Amino acid sequence: MDIYEKWGYSLLSIIAAIYLIAMFVGMIAAFPYGLLGLLLMAGIGVLLVKVVKERMQNKEDDYYSKEVDK
């Protein structure tokens, strides 16, 4: 990974974090109806954590990404 790719991912991560914070603040401002959005964000977050956790623990994917795709 070169320096430009690292910078690109860093900038995208910062923008995504700012966007999520703005969404969170907006949903709190629209309190009764914003709870639905907060629940949606929480559900997506739980699923994202599950997918990342499963990917980190999958030895078969690691084998194929290192050995077969060459």
Side-chain angles (χ1 to χ4, degrees), residues 2-13:
D2 64 343
I3 189 74
Y4 298 112
E5 191 174 359
K6 287 181 183 179
W7 273 99
Y9 284 130
S10 298
L11 290 174
L12 285 175
S13 298

Side-chain angles (χ1 to χ4, degrees), residues 20-66:
L20 285 172
I21 291 169
M23 285 176 45
F24 187 74
V25 169
M27 287 179 201
I28 290 175
F31 174 65
Y33 303 108
L35 288 177
L36 293 174
L38 289 174
L39 290 173
L40 176 71
M41 285 178 62
I44 291 172
V46 168
L47 290 175
L48 181 66
V49 168
K50 178 183 180 290
V51 167
V52 170
K53 181 180 170 186
E54 286 178 358
R55 172 58 189 98
M56 297 296 285
Q57 294 175 346
N58 194 341
K59 304 261 187 242
E60 186 177 348
D61 283 347
D62 290 338
Y63 172 77
Y64 282 109
S65 67
K66 291 177 184 173

